[in-house]
Amino acid sequence: MTAKQLMINEEVADALAQGRGVVALESTLLAHGLPAGRNRAVAARLETVIRNAGAAPATIAVLDGTARIGLTEAELDRVCDPAADLVKLSRRDLGPALGLRGNGATTVASTSALAHAAGISLFATGGMGGVHRGAETSWDVSADLDVLASTPVTVVCSGVKSILDIPATLEVLESRSVPVLSYRTDHFPAFYLRDSGLPSPWRVDSPEAAAAVIAAHHASVPGDAGVVLANPIPAVHEMPRALHDELLRTGLELLAEKGVHGKDVTPLLLEHFHRTSEGASLDANEELVVSNAELAAAVAVALAESR
Ligand code: PSU
Ligand code: MN
């Protein structure tokens, strides 16, 4: 990428040059996953917890045809402003967005790709995309999985939402040689819930252990597969299961009723959860992302210290 296409801000560039920890953050969860106002507060909180842990935050978005790694306060305002009308950019959309000098918010797929291009190996988010329910006929499998299979970046997330087909998502990660580690639990988490009901392939109990696994994975497994570090939502913020199941049921009905497909599925379901739960899912969402940013920063620092 040319210097005009990829710009790394000073804080991030300095941290990279000094071998300090850096944590990438995506912008789709801000622009399309959280309501206006609340998204800006979450953006600030994420950056603060990462700095407090001794790492540099690198929120990523495409603005005026440039992929920006690390945003100014004004750029964060813009990403969080619905009037800015940022489109949701998966990895395949980066060429059009840069070539046509557009604006967009980056998903796990495009954020991982841009983070790697900038030399960043850790990324924190809420949930990642995966295999959608009914993918056997819709073919809706998130590019997040493909990118993880071919990009040496660790994604710290709270697993995947139960709106997806979680067993199928875990199968694809296995086929594509992406290790899945869960943090201080034997169960793979499901975003609003601490336990998806499925066992986690691996468990780690400290940031140092996660860093050791990440380093050993890249040293021993040929290819460029990334790593999933799944961090369950803090227990005090977990959603009541009955409320969760009811929202999921009505959310899936709403999707079928409206005939929504493709990239609009996740934003519509999130909006349904947030509206119907009167903010309970919003609080859960915020707390899990913050917790993931904290863990990612601790792992980034452990990785930097072990080098
Ligand atoms: N899961 C969430 N919140 C989100 C997303 C996923 O709980 O905002 C976003 C992420 O940016 C993820 C993207 O990369 O949705 C996946 O979209 P798709 O399924 O269209 O690939
Ligand atoms: Mn999709």
Side-chain angles (χ1 to χ4, degrees):
M1 288 170 84
T2 65
K4 218 172 160 190
Q5 286 171 333
L6 184 80
M7 279 179 54
I8 305 178
N9 81 358
E10 202 181 314
E11 180 184 13
V12 175
D14 285 352
L16 288 171
Q18 294 161 12
R20 288 181 20 238
V22 177
V23 176
L25 297 165
E26 62 156 303
S27 43
T28 290
L29 89 89
L30 301 173
H32 303 288
L34 296 167
R38 183 70 171 253
N39 56 1
R40 186 63 182 86
V42 172
R45 225 183 132 191
L46 294 174
E47 297 211 336
T48 301
V49 297
I50 290 169
R51 287 195 185 100
N52 288 348
T59 306
I60 295 180
V62 175
L63 296 172
D64 307 315
T66 300
R68 296 189 184 268
I69 315 296
L71 302 182
T72 62
E73 299 292 313
E75 287 163 349
L76 283 173
D77 290 345
R78 199 169 148 193
V79 164
C80 293
D81 181 359
D85 213 18
L86 264 60
V87 294
K88 175 176 165 185
L89 303 176
S90 189
R91 183 171 60 166
R92 61 105 181 247
D93 303 308
L94 288 174
L98 299 175
L100 301 173
R101 306 209 58 74
N103 301 300
T106 51
T107 63
V108 169
S110 49
T111 306
S112 300
L114 292 171
H116 178 58
I120 302 169
S121 65
L122 259 140
F123 166 30
T125 185
M128 53 171 202
V131 179
H132 279 263
R133 290 166 187 243
E136 60 276 21
T137 51
S138 70
W139 294 71
D140 190 352
V141 177
S142 177
D144 292 357
L145 296 180
D146 242 46
V147 173
L148 260 167
S150 58
T151 312
V153 164
T154 295
V155 178
V156 182
C157 61
S158 297
V160 299
K161 274 204 205 65
S162 35
I163 60 175
L164 299 178
D165 183 335
I166 302 180
T169 301
L170 285 171
E171 290 296 345
V172 171
L173 290 169
E174 179 180 358
S175 307
R176 307 301 304 271
S177 297
V178 177
V180 175
L181 325 171
S182 296
Y183 193 67
R184 295 184 177 164
T185 173
D186 295 316
H187 307 280
F188 185 69
F191 201 77
Y192 298 121
L193 303 175
R194 289 178 57 80
D195 181 2
S196 65
L198 293 162
S200 176
W202 289 96
R203 164 185 181 136
V204 289
D205 286 287
S206 67
E208 292 72 26
V213 171
I214 292 163
H217 164 70
H218 293 305
S220 63
V221 178
D224 276 326
V227 175
V228 173
L229 176 55
N231 183 31
I233 182 171
V236 286
H237 299 295
E238 186 179 31
M239 265 178 88
R241 193 170 276 270
L243 172 62
H244 166 272
D245 292 352
E246 177 61 14
L247 291 176
L248 177 61
R249 191 183 62 74
T250 51
L252 291 172
E253 269 173 23
L254 185 71
L255 285 181
E257 215 171 88
K258 292 200 166 181
V260 171
H261 297 288
K263 68 192 228 176
D264 297 330
V265 167
T266 304
L268 186 119
L269 268 165
L270 282 169
E271 206 266 327
H272 171 74
F273 265 71
H274 298 332
R275 189 169 21 84
T276 316
S277 74
E278 292 168 355
S281 66
L282 209 47
D283 293 339
N285 202 338
E286 171 167 347
E287 297 304 332
L288 70 86
V289 191
V290 168
S291 165
N292 295 342
E294 277 169 345
L295 176 59
V299 176
V301 169
L303 268 172
E305 280 169 1
S306 66
R307 272 195 208 107

